[in-house]
Structure formats: structure tokens, C-alpha cells
Amino acid sequence: MLEETARKIETMEIRGAGSIARAAAQALKGEAEAHDGDLHGFRDAMDDARERLLDTRPTAVSLENAVRHVLADLKDAETLDEARNTVVERADEFVEHSREAVKTIGEYGANRIPDGATVLTHCHSSASLSAIETAHRDGKEIEVVAAETRPRMQGHITVRQLSDAGVPVTLIVDGAVRLFMKQADIVVVGADTVAANGAQINKVGTSTVALCAREARVPVVVCAETYKFSPDTVHGELVEIEERDPGEVADPEEFPGVEIRNPAFDATPPRYVDAIVTERGVVSPHEAHHVIEKYLEDSG
Ligand code: RI2
């Protein structure tokens, strides 16, 4: 099961920073339940599982924070049963917290979306859509403009989900973002990682969206659970930007001699972000390090 989950994360069959974190927690739980060796073997198996999962995709810190949370008490376990129980319990705890967090962000985020607003979004973020759908359910007359998000087209998932929920939605190409920003009242996007300085790392193109928003004086709201904040960045570590297969952009055989690049994410500086909506409340990007200190384990 763990190998299957790892492969699905790599191929993006399971995708979205929150989803991959929950899938990793569940895979560790499955691995723990299936293990039938001794305590020493169990610890080794969990170490291997940890490595395999962290090897899948490098950018979303949600994955690392999930793994860290699930395995946090393993070192104190004295018997195999204790070791197994702590992994299972902490995995369940993470998944439940994560699901609740997305709902809570929906409520806090919806409050930020004015009645009558046109919301512009990029990629597909469950946390952002939770806010948008909650605003719609609350009776606000909103509409959404969604960028298709080359090369994987997660914008298609967004427009289908919103349309199914009854939210009026328009699909645009990424290059039309600046044009459509003129009619937007708010930008709502997700995050894969929030750095200690408040920079947010999200699907490539998000920083362009944020720049266009700044030019048009449209506020940018990021919806991100606290486990998307990165403890490592407190010490200045940079967030690794995943570079995916060039074949996702174009067939290299059709362009001999051409280098094709496919960075999956980019970083939006904190000055272009107006608010980050977390399940613990709404914070300014400049408070990101407080979130890390307060809510994330082993952040020192
Ligand atoms: P939720 C996604 O990454 C997008 O960048 C999206 O904005 C972010 O994760 C957060 O998604 P990818 O897996 O956790 O599509 O809000 O590369 O669903």
C-alpha cells in the first residue's frame, strides 16, 4: 500500500498539498498495521517508509509535516504494540485535523469574500474552494474566474467542482489573468508551503497572478492549513522547487535542440499577500514565523 501511495503521489494521481499529506499519513498507518516483525524491524520499516514518502515530491511541506507528526512518538515506544499504536493514533489524528482544518478555513475564508464578488483563482486548491463554496452556500452571489494552470490543467478540476456546486465559473488561459484581473474583487489561492518570512510557494504562475493583483489593487488571500508552514525555513533553508518531466510541457522529440523546463511551483513574496487564512485564524504573512513557533512540532 505504501509503495502504491508513493507512486500515486509521484504521478499526481493523488495531488494537492493537503491530499498528499493525508495520503502519506494513511500510508504510514497501513504500513504500521501490516508489520509483523519485532520493534527493531518496525522502526526500520517506518524509516524506510518515511524516506520513500519524502522522496516523492519535494516542495509541499505538508507532506513532511504529516510524516513528522505521525512518527513523532515512535522513539519513546518500548514495545511493538506501543509503536504500532502511536503511529496509527497519530495518523488518524492528523487526517481528522486536516479534514476539519479545510472546513474551518472555508468558514474563515468565506468571511473575506464580499457579496457580489468576482473571485480569481489559480490551480486547484481544496482549501480555497472550501472558502469559495462556503461563501456561495452562505448565499453570497459570487462568481469565479479560474486559470487553466498549464501544464497539468488543474484549473479544469476547479471549474468542474465549482460548476457542480452551482457556482458560476469562467475558465481562462493563464495568459489572460492580467486581462481578467480588471473585473476581479479578490484573489483566493492555496499554498504548498508557507515560509517563515511569509513567502508562499504555490503552483507555478501564482506569483504572476499576485503581481497582476497588486497592479490592479485586488487583495490576495491565501488559504493554507498550519501544517503547510515550514519549520525548516525558520533557519533560512530555501524551499526546493520541484522540476517535473519536460514531457508535461511539450514532446521533447518535436523540439530537438530545445531545452524544455517545467518548474511546478513559484514563490510569491510576502508583500504581495494580504492575508493567510489558517484553521487557527487569519494571519498576516509577517506572522508566519509565529504560526510555526506556536503550532508546529520540532520547530526549534
Ligand atoms: P490544497 C497544489 O499542488 C496546488 O499548488 C494547490 O494550490 C496546492 O497544492 C494546495 O492545494 P499540486 O499537487 O491543499 O497540484 O489546498 O502540484 O488542496
Side-chain angles (χ1 to χ4, degrees), residues 22-266:
R22 287 190 293 275
Q26 274 158 340
L28 287 170
K29 176 182 168 178
E31 197 72 359
E33 285 174 333
H35 189 85
D36 57 4
D38 58 9
L39 179 59
H40 186 69
F42 184 84
R43 286 210 165 98
D44 285 349
M46 287 300 123
D47 270 350
D48 291 347
R50 177 184 174 281
E51 292 301 312
R52 179 68 186 99
L53 289 167
L54 295 187
D55 213 30
T56 52
R57 296 189 72 194
T59 302
V61 76
S62 51
L63 176 65
E64 197 179 326
N65 282 338
V67 170
R68 189 180 286 164
H69 180 88
V70 173
L71 302 180
D73 288 342
L74 191 54
K75 57 185 181 321
D76 303 325
E78 286 172 5
T79 65
L80 178 61
D81 272 352
E82 267 183 49
R84 187 180 287 127
N85 288 343
T86 165
V87 171
V88 169
E89 276 165 25
R90 289 185 73 96
D92 286 342
E93 185 180 82
F94 181 86
V95 172
E96 196 191 322
H97 170 82
S98 169
R99 292 208 172 109
E100 278 305 309
V102 173
K103 270 195 223 153
T104 308
I105 287 173
E107 286 157 27
Y108 294 159
N111 289 338
R112 300 255 141 185
I113 302 176
D115 195 7
T118 296
V119 183
L120 194 142
T121 192
H122 187 64
C123 199
H124 172 265
S125 152
S126 311
S128 301
L129 292 199
S130 178
I132 293 168
E133 287 179 355
T134 305
H136 172 75
R137 273 200 302 275
D138 287 350
K140 290 181 181 171
E141 292 203 5
I142 56 169
E143 57 182 274
V144 175
V145 174
E148 62 181 354
T149 316
R150 285 262 308 150
R152 303 278 310 204
M153 304 296 197
Q154 290 95 324
H156 292 184
I157 310 172
T158 294
V159 296
R160 282 203 190 98
Q161 183 175 330
L162 289 175
S163 180
D164 286 350
V167 181
V169 60
T170 304
L171 178 67
I172 60 169
V173 298
D174 300 332
V177 159
R178 185 162 177 258
L179 200 62
F180 280 81
M181 195 60 79
K182 293 190 181 81
Q183 67 191 56
D185 300 290
I186 187 169
V187 167
V188 181
V189 287
D192 292 78
T193 293
V194 180
N197 70 352
Q200 69 112 3
I201 288 79
N202 194 47
K203 185 54 53 193
V204 68
T206 304
S207 68
T208 315
V209 172
L211 265 176
C212 293
R214 173 52 55 95
E215 181 195 40
R217 296 176 196 276
V218 173
V220 174
V221 171
V222 172
C223 293
E225 304 89 303
T226 49
Y227 55 81
K228 291 177 181 163
F229 287 64
S230 168
D232 289 343
T233 57
V234 168
H235 308 294
E237 195 154 304
L238 295 174
V239 177
E240 182 182 344
I241 300 292
E242 177 183 11
E243 182 96 23
R244 294 186 63 84
D245 186 345
E248 290 183 349
V249 176
D251 181 356
E253 285 182 14
E254 287 182 26
F255 300 92
V258 175
E259 186 186 19
I260 301 173
R261 297 281 308 271
N262 187 17
F265 302 99
D266 64 19

